[in-house]
């Protein structure tokens, strides 16, 4: 948090700190992990994402490379989350827990 007292409005600038990572198949690290575990990355036909995860025998596809459920895509689909830590301090004012489904 930054307080800009030079401004007559006494505005306060808030900064966000992202603690999560989108697990998209187009990311190099995710693509390598998916392929290593037998998954196939298929170009998206809908234009909503660049790649979708599928299996060599076809079937339903998924726009993320990590998820709970979707058992038909395992072992290429991983359930292990990326974990980041942040020690809360006196400058922290908000903590938001949400998913892309909320936004």
């Amino acid at each position: 948090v930054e307080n800009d007292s030079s401004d007559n409005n006494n505005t306060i600038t808030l900064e966000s700190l992202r603690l999560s990572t989108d697990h998209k198949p187009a990311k190099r690290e995710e693509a390598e992990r998916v392929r290593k575990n037998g998954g196939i990355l298929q170009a998206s036909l809908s234009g909503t994402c660049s790649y979708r995860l599928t299996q060599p025998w076809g079937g339903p596809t998924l726009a993320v490379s990590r998820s709970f459920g979707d058992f038909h895509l395992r072992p290429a689909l991983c359930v292990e989350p990326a974990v980041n830590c942040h020690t809360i301090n006196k400058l922290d004012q908000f903590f938001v827990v949400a998913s892309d489904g909320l936004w």
Side-chain angles (χ1 to χ4, degrees):
V1 175
E2 210 174 277
N3 188 354
D4 186 358
S5 58
S6 64
D7 186 356
N8 290 335
N9 295 328
N10 285 332
T11 58
I12 296 176
T13 303
L14 298 176
E15 294 180 16
S16 64
L17 175 63
R18 184 177 185 148
L19 295 176
S20 66
T21 303
D22 287 339
H23 298 110
K24 301 291 184 184
K27 287 187 169 182
R28 184 179 49 81
E29 301 86 13
E30 288 297 299
E32 289 172 359
R33 188 192 54 71
V34 165
R35 289 184 181 113
K36 178 181 171 189
N37 289 297
I40 302 291
L41 296 178
Q42 173 183 328
S44 174
L45 302 176
S46 67
T48 57
C49 61
S50 56
Y51 291 101
R52 297 187 67 84
L53 174 62
T54 190
Q55 291 290 345
W57 54 86
T61 64
L62 194 62
V64 295
S65 56
R66 297 185 190 209
S67 172
F68 295 111
D70 298 296
F71 298 105
H72 65 284
L73 292 172
R74 300 227 179 120
L77 181 72
C78 178
V79 298
E80 184 179 325
V83 178
N84 296 301
C85 297
H86 170 70
T87 302
I88 296 174
N89 63 55
K90 65 180 182 173
L91 297 177
D92 294 324
Q93 296 183 8
F94 304 98
F95 183 76
V96 178
V97 178
S99 72
D100 62 351
L102 295 175
W103 308 107

